[in-house]
Amino acid sequence: MAEEKKTILLAEDEDDLREMYSMGISNEGYEVLKAANGKEALEWLEKKYAEIRAVLLDIVMPEMDGFEALEIIKKDVRFEKIPVFIFSNLDNEEDKKQAIALGANEYFVKAQHTPSELVQKINLILSKK
């Protein structure tokens, strides 16, 4: 039997951070689909949702922010079971509460997690699915 694809969708508007996290996640055995904003993330979901194991959304992005994308993802029956993780530089309780209220599975503060730590936490959550 073919091994199931392990794909993570990463939405981050800063090129350097997107590449750094993408490389770190790839090094842990995942294929990474990269988006520069929430709109691009939704486009990837439309095309590849059957393969995507998890979505990482930054909050502050152009065109469509992470909260808007999260809300749309969680209202679509095709995507609602895919775990969504907010990962942001914003470290405040209001944003954390809003993310969880909109359906995020976890809220990560970028400065507090290396890419490999992020993947370890994602693996832990995915193993409970």
Side-chain angles (χ1 to χ4, degrees), residues 19-122:
E19 290 309 313
M20 180 189 78
Y21 277 95
S22 176
M23 190 178 306
I25 293 166
S26 294
N27 289 342
E28 298 293 326
Y30 285 93
E31 178 183 341
V32 180
L33 302 175
K34 297 179 267 189
N37 57 57
K39 187 175 177 211
E40 285 181 20
L42 292 173
E43 289 168 5
W44 274 119
L45 275 166
E46 287 286 338
K47 293 181 213 167
K48 302 264 190 172
Y49 68 90
E51 298 169 21
I52 296 171
R53 306 278 44 91
V55 178
L56 291 171
L57 291 174
D58 186 15
I59 294 175
V60 180
M61 296 184 289
E63 288 191 60
M64 181 184 290
D65 71 28
F67 288 143
E68 291 173 283
L70 174 60
E71 194 167 7
I72 291 167
I73 290 167
K74 289 302 178 177
K75 286 182 178 175
D76 191 313
V77 294
R78 296 171 298 164
F79 314 146
E80 66 185 358
K81 299 267 190 252
I82 300 172
V84 179
F85 304 93
I86 295 293
F87 84 123
S88 175
N89 283 322
L90 303 176
D91 185 11
N92 65 64
E93 285 306 310
E94 278 182 36
D95 287 327
K96 290 176 186 177
K97 285 178 183 170
Q98 183 175 357
I100 299 304
L102 290 172
N105 295 72
E106 191 71 52
Y107 189 104
F108 298 108
V109 178
K110 292 176 195 171
Q112 297 172 2
H113 299 284
T114 65
S116 62
E117 289 171 339
L118 191 61
V119 171
Q120 287 174 357
K121 289 183 179 269
I122 290 167

